[in-house]
Amino acid sequence: MAQAGKQGGWPVKDCKDPFKSDFDMQQIVPVSRSIRLNGFATCLRLEVVYWRILECIAEANGCSVSAVLSYIDREVHLRQGGVRNFSGLVRVICVAWLQEPPRIR
């Protein structure tokens, strides 16, 4: 771990290195998938880590990843009239889902 005061180090002492020793760089590889959002065919490009989180969200809700994405698409249209960056919205929803306390399943 880098120490404070050294070039490229953290600005404060005793910070935790965000790279775990077994960090899998394959998580950052972007993957495009053809999906149907409420009946419309489209393509969504997300990093592997986000597809994995979407799979967890789908499993927790007893549905498919496509159903989760269709729900997100439908809700953003109902609540906000749409969004310009759907993949960005999906990434933020994935992070927000991880930040919530564990769900009772």
Side-chain angles (χ1 to χ4, degrees):
M1 175 168 56
Q3 292 190 9
K6 292 187 178 180
Q7 185 176 2
W10 292 94
V12 294
K13 293 180 181 179
D14 300 325
C15 285
K16 293 192 178 199
D17 189 342
F19 280 99
K20 298 188 303 184
S21 61
D22 61 347
F23 184 80
D24 179 7
M25 289 298 288
Q26 292 302 307
Q27 294 182 94
I28 68 168
V29 174
V31 174
S32 296
R33 290 191 188 175
S34 296
I35 56 169
R36 285 188 98 54
L37 295 177
N38 301 307
F40 294 96
T42 189
C43 186
L44 184 63
R45 186 174 173 90
L46 297 169
E47 293 77 10
V48 169
V49 68
Y50 292 109
W51 288 114
R52 289 178 182 163
I53 296 167
L54 285 169
E55 290 166 1
C56 292
I57 294 170
E59 183 180 329
N61 287 287
C63 63
S64 66
V65 169
S66 186
V68 170
L69 293 170
S70 287
Y71 174 81
I72 293 169
D73 181 59
R74 185 173 49 254
E75 286 300 310
V76 75
H77 279 87
L78 291 172
R79 296 176 189 200
Q80 301 291 323
V83 66
R84 296 186 95 177
N85 183 356
F86 184 72
S87 58
L89 171 65
V90 171
R91 286 182 184 95
V92 170
I93 285 173
C94 287
V95 171
W97 189 80
L98 289 175
Q99 290 177 328
E100 288 185 13
R103 294 158 175 73
I104 299 172
R105 297 175 200 203

